[in-house]
Amino acid sequence: QVQLVESGGGLVQAGGSLRLSCAASGSIFQINAMAWYRQAPGKQREWVAIIYSDGTTSHADSVKGRFTISRDSAKNTTYLQMNSLKPEDTARYYCKANLRGGGSWATFRDYWGQGTQVTVSS
């Protein structure tokens, strides 16, 4: 069984910063990539950033230059450093991991966390 647990959300004023964490635990054999998504009320979930096993990263245009994804491979943890936050960044932020658990015989699949709320006040 694999679990993803996000933390670090909260209430912050516009222009402020937050650092989200996502820790993957359980029977993990190999992680291909970890990513952040967000979903605001009444809107579809949107992709924010991704980091691959080789360290390659990519960020959505809406957060480029303000958010930075990183990881600690030894801890199976990914981080999202969010700076210069805007009210439109308000959303529930979800972590997704593409990984295979158990062993080399397993196939890669996506796992999601429960999310952490980020609220940016103006």
Side-chain angles (χ1 to χ4, degrees), residues 84-101:
S84 303
L85 282 160
K86 305 175 181 179
E88 51 263 45
D89 294 319
T90 295
R92 191 164 186 83
Y93 284 71
Y94 296 88
C95 176
K96 185 183 81 171
N98 181 257
L99 61 86
R100 52 180 175 175

PDB file of all heavy atoms in Angstrom, residues 84-101:
ATOM      1  N   SER A  84       5.799  34.937  -3.743  1.00  0.00           N
ATOM      2  CA  SER A  84       4.983  35.978  -4.398  1.00  0.00           C
ATOM      3  C   SER A  84       3.565  35.490  -4.658  1.00  0.00           C
ATOM      4  O   SER A  84       3.025  35.632  -5.760  1.00  0.00           O
ATOM      5  CB  SER A  84       5.648  36.407  -5.724  1.00  0.00           C
ATOM      6  OG  SER A  84       6.963  36.870  -5.506  1.00  0.00           O
ATOM      7  N   LEU A  85       2.965  34.931  -3.644  1.00  0.00           N
ATOM      8  CA  LEU A  85       1.635  34.349  -3.798  1.00  0.00           C
ATOM      9  C   LEU A  85       0.593  35.415  -4.123  1.00  0.00           C
ATOM     10  O   LEU A  85       0.671  36.554  -3.645  1.00  0.00           O
ATOM     11  CB  LEU A  85       1.246  33.582  -2.541  1.00  0.00           C
ATOM     12  CG  LEU A  85       1.909  32.196  -2.424  1.00  0.00           C
ATOM     13  CD1 LEU A  85       1.880  31.710  -0.991  1.00  0.00           C
ATOM     14  CD2 LEU A  85       1.206  31.214  -3.344  1.00  0.00           C
ATOM     15  N   LYS A  86      -0.371  35.003  -4.943  1.00  0.00           N
ATOM     16  CA  LYS A  86      -1.460  35.879  -5.365  1.00  0.00           C
ATOM     17  C   LYS A  86      -2.788  35.269  -4.921  1.00  0.00           C
ATOM     18  O   LYS A  86      -2.886  34.042  -4.745  1.00  0.00           O
ATOM     19  CB  LYS A  86      -1.457  36.010  -6.893  1.00  0.00           C
ATOM     20  CG  LYS A  86      -0.137  36.473  -7.490  1.00  0.00           C
ATOM     21  CD  LYS A  86      -0.201  36.452  -9.007  1.00  0.00           C
ATOM     22  CE  LYS A  86       1.114  36.876  -9.643  1.00  0.00           C
ATOM     23  NZ  LYS A  86       1.055  36.838 -11.128  1.00  0.00           N
ATOM     24  N   PRO A  87      -3.817  36.102  -4.786  1.00  0.00           N
ATOM     25  CA  PRO A  87      -5.125  35.549  -4.419  1.00  0.00           C
ATOM     26  C   PRO A  87      -5.600  34.451  -5.383  1.00  0.00           C
ATOM     27  O   PRO A  87      -6.256  33.499  -4.955  1.00  0.00           O
ATOM     28  CB  PRO A  87      -6.044  36.777  -4.471  1.00  0.00           C
ATOM     29  CG  PRO A  87      -5.138  37.911  -4.137  1.00  0.00           C
ATOM     30  CD  PRO A  87      -3.828  37.568  -4.787  1.00  0.00           C
ATOM     31  N   GLU A  88      -5.245  34.561  -6.642  1.00  0.00           N
ATOM     32  CA  GLU A  88      -5.657  33.533  -7.610  1.00  0.00           C
ATOM     33  C   GLU A  88      -4.918  32.203  -7.438  1.00  0.00           C
ATOM     34  O   GLU A  88      -5.241  31.223  -8.098  1.00  0.00           O
ATOM     35  CB  GLU A  88      -5.478  34.038  -9.047  1.00  0.00           C
ATOM     36  CG  GLU A  88      -4.107  34.614  -9.351  1.00  0.00           C
ATOM     37  CD  GLU A  88      -4.089  36.137  -9.245  1.00  0.00           C
ATOM     38  OE1 GLU A  88      -4.649  36.679  -8.271  1.00  0.00           O
ATOM     39  OE2 GLU A  88      -3.476  36.766 -10.138  1.00  0.00           O
ATOM     40  N   ASP A  89      -3.938  32.162  -6.539  1.00  0.00           N
ATOM     41  CA  ASP A  89      -3.281  30.894  -6.211  1.00  0.00           C
ATOM     42  C   ASP A  89      -4.071  30.107  -5.172  1.00  0.00           C
ATOM     43  O   ASP A  89      -3.725  28.956  -4.868  1.00  0.00           O
ATOM     44  CB  ASP A  89      -1.870  31.145  -5.669  1.00  0.00           C
ATOM     45  CG  ASP A  89      -0.933  31.728  -6.710  1.00  0.00           C
ATOM     46  OD1 ASP A  89      -0.977  31.284  -7.875  1.00  0.00           O
ATOM     47  OD2 ASP A  89      -0.151  32.637  -6.353  1.00  0.00           O
ATOM     48  N   THR A  90      -5.114  30.721  -4.640  1.00  0.00           N
ATOM     49  CA  THR A  90      -5.945  30.044  -3.654  1.00  0.00           C
ATOM     50  C   THR A  90      -6.565  28.796  -4.260  1.00  0.00           C
ATOM     51  O   THR A  90      -7.223  28.851  -5.298  1.00  0.00           O
ATOM     52  CB  THR A  90      -7.050  30.982  -3.145  1.00  0.00           C
ATOM     53  OG1 THR A  90      -6.446  32.068  -2.442  1.00  0.00           O
ATOM     54  CG2 THR A  90      -8.010  30.237  -2.224  1.00  0.00           C
ATOM     55  N   ALA A  91      -6.324  27.658  -3.614  1.00  0.00           N
ATOM     56  CA  ALA A  91      -6.804  26.373  -4.122  1.00  0.00           C
ATOM     57  C   ALA A  91      -6.416  25.275  -3.137  1.00  0.00           C
ATOM     58  O   ALA A  91      -5.637  25.508  -2.207  1.00  0.00           O
ATOM     59  CB  ALA A  91      -6.192  26.072  -5.490  1.00  0.00           C
ATOM     60  N   ARG A  92      -6.941  24.105  -3.391  1.00  0.00           N
ATOM     61  CA  ARG A  92      -6.463  22.926  -2.678  1.00  0.00           C
ATOM     62  C   ARG A  92      -5.366  22.318  -3.560  1.00  0.00           C
ATOM     63  O   ARG A  92      -5.595  22.095  -4.753  1.00  0.00           O
ATOM     64  CB  ARG A  92      -7.579  21.929  -2.419  1.00  0.00           C
ATOM     65  CG  ARG A  92      -7.161  20.824  -1.443  1.00  0.00           C
ATOM     66  CD  ARG A  92      -8.337  20.079  -0.894  1.00  0.00           C
ATOM     67  NE  ARG A  92      -7.931  19.122   0.138  1.00  0.00           N
ATOM     68  CZ  ARG A  92      -7.728  19.433   1.406  1.00  0.00           C
ATOM     69  NH1 ARG A  92      -7.911  20.679   1.817  1.00  0.00           N
ATOM     70  NH2 ARG A  92      -7.349  18.503   2.285  1.00  0.00           N
ATOM     71  N   TYR A  93      -4.218  22.093  -2.969  1.00  0.00           N
ATOM     72  CA  TYR A  93      -3.066  21.590  -3.702  1.00  0.00           C
ATOM     73  C   TYR A  93      -2.894  20.088  -3.445  1.00  0.00           C
ATOM     74  O   TYR A  93      -2.873  19.648  -2.285  1.00  0.00           O
ATOM     75  CB  TYR A  93      -1.804  22.350  -3.286  1.00  0.00           C
ATOM     76  CG  TYR A  93      -1.739  23.732  -3.901  1.00  0.00           C
ATOM     77  CD1 TYR A  93      -2.604  24.735  -3.479  1.00  0.00           C
ATOM     78  CD2 TYR A  93      -0.841  24.020  -4.914  1.00  0.00           C
ATOM     79  CE1 TYR A  93      -2.577  26.003  -4.059  1.00  0.00           C
ATOM     80  CE2 TYR A  93      -0.796  25.288  -5.497  1.00  0.00           C
ATOM     81  CZ  TYR A  93      -1.664  26.264  -5.070  1.00  0.00           C
ATOM     82  OH  TYR A  93      -1.629  27.513  -5.649  1.00  0.00           O
ATOM     83  N   TYR A  94      -2.777  19.362  -4.538  1.00  0.00           N
ATOM     84  CA  TYR A  94      -2.668  17.913  -4.474  1.00  0.00           C
ATOM     85  C   TYR A  94      -1.322  17.453  -5.027  1.00  0.00           C
ATOM     86  O   TYR A  94      -0.815  18.008  -6.002  1.00  0.00           O
ATOM     87  CB  TYR A  94      -3.768  17.259  -5.295  1.00  0.00           C
ATOM     88  CG  TYR A  94      -5.158  17.518  -4.798  1.00  0.00           C
ATOM     89  CD1 TYR A  94      -5.876  18.628  -5.221  1.00  0.00           C
ATOM     90  CD2 TYR A  94      -5.765  16.640  -3.905  1.00  0.00           C
ATOM     91  CE1 TYR A  94      -7.157  18.869  -4.771  1.00  0.00           C
ATOM     92  CE2 TYR A  94      -7.058  16.868  -3.454  1.00  0.00           C
ATOM     93  CZ  TYR A  94      -7.741  17.980  -3.886  1.00  0.00           C
ATOM     94  OH  TYR A  94      -9.013  18.223  -3.430  1.00  0.00           O
ATOM     95  N   CYS A  95      -0.825  16.395  -4.429  1.00  0.00           N
ATOM     96  CA  CYS A  95       0.397  15.760  -4.885  1.00  0.00           C
ATOM     97  C   CYS A  95       0.031  14.467  -5.623  1.00  0.00           C
ATOM     98  O   CYS A  95      -0.880  13.740  -5.203  1.00  0.00           O
ATOM     99  CB  CYS A  95       1.277  15.445  -3.674  1.00  0.00           C
ATOM    100  SG  CYS A  95       2.783  14.541  -4.037  1.00  0.00           S
ATOM    101  N   LYS A  96       0.725  14.218  -6.714  1.00  0.00           N
ATOM    102  CA  LYS A  96       0.556  12.968  -7.448  1.00  0.00           C
ATOM    103  C   LYS A  96       1.921  12.345  -7.685  1.00  0.00           C
ATOM    104  O   LYS A  96       2.874  13.037  -8.050  1.00  0.00           O
ATOM    105  CB  LYS A  96      -0.128  13.228  -8.794  1.00  0.00           C
ATOM    106  CG  LYS A  96      -0.436  11.959  -9.564  1.00  0.00           C
ATOM    107  CD  LYS A  96      -1.043  12.240 -10.920  1.00  0.00           C
ATOM    108  CE  LYS A  96       0.005  12.586 -11.944  1.00  0.00           C
ATOM    109  NZ  LYS A  96      -0.570  12.656 -13.312  1.00  0.00           N
ATOM    110  N   ALA A  97       2.001  11.047  -7.483  1.00  0.00           N
ATOM    111  CA  ALA A  97       3.241  10.315  -7.749  1.00  0.00           C
ATOM    112  C   ALA A  97       2.965   9.216  -8.764  1.00  0.00           C
ATOM    113  O   ALA A  97       1.974   8.489  -8.631  1.00  0.00           O
ATOM    114  CB  ALA A  97       3.806   9.725  -6.474  1.00  0.00           C
ATOM    115  N   ASN A  98       3.820   9.128  -9.744  1.00  0.00           N
ATOM    116  CA  ASN A  98       3.779   8.019 -10.698  1.00  0.00           C
ATOM    117  C   ASN A  98       4.880   7.061 -10.283  1.00  0.00           C
ATOM    118  O   ASN A  98       6.069   7.392 -10.404  1.00  0.00           O
ATOM    119  CB  ASN A  98       3.992   8.531 -12.117  1.00  0.00           C
ATOM    120  CG  ASN A  98       3.921   7.416 -13.137  1.00  0.00           C
ATOM    121  OD1 ASN A  98       4.935   6.946 -13.653  1.00  0.00           O
ATOM    122  ND2 ASN A  98       2.709   6.963 -13.421  1.00  0.00           N
ATOM    123  N   LEU A  99       4.487   5.919  -9.777  1.00  0.00           N
ATOM    124  CA  LEU A  99       5.474   5.008  -9.213  1.00  0.00           C
ATOM    125  C   LEU A  99       5.010   3.560  -9.344  1.00  0.00           C
ATOM    126  O   LEU A  99       3.858   3.288  -9.696  1.00  0.00           O
ATOM    127  CB  LEU A  99       5.730   5.355  -7.738  1.00  0.00           C
ATOM    128  CG  LEU A  99       4.556   5.276  -6.769  1.00  0.00           C
ATOM    129  CD1 LEU A  99       4.365   3.871  -6.227  1.00  0.00           C
ATOM    130  CD2 LEU A  99       4.740   6.248  -5.603  1.00  0.00           C
ATOM    131  N   ARG A 100       5.946   2.664  -9.059  1.00  0.00           N
ATOM    132  CA  ARG A 100       5.556   1.273  -8.955  1.00  0.00           C
ATOM    133  C   ARG A 100       5.980   0.768  -7.585  1.00  0.00           C
ATOM    134  O   ARG A 100       7.081   1.044  -7.109  1.00  0.00           O
ATOM    135  CB  ARG A 100       6.147   0.414 -10.062  1.00  0.00           C
ATOM    136  CG  ARG A 100       7.642   0.496 -10.280  1.00  0.00           C
ATOM    137  CD  ARG A 100       8.037  -0.419 -11.420  1.00  0.00           C
ATOM    138  NE  ARG A 100       9.448  -0.315 -11.762  1.00  0.00           N
ATOM    139  CZ  ARG A 100      10.049  -1.087 -12.672  1.00  0.00           C
ATOM    140  NH1 ARG A 100       9.351  -2.021 -13.333  1.00  0.00           N
ATOM    141  NH2 ARG A 100      11.326  -0.927 -12.930  1.00  0.00           N
ATOM    142  N   GLY A 101       5.061   0.059  -6.999  1.00  0.00           N
ATOM    143  CA  GLY A 101       5.307  -0.461  -5.670  1.00  0.00           C
ATOM    144  C   GLY A 101       5.588  -1.946  -5.708  1.00  0.00           C
ATOM    145  O   GLY A 101       5.354  -2.615  -6.700  1.00  0.00           O
TER     146      GLY A 101
END
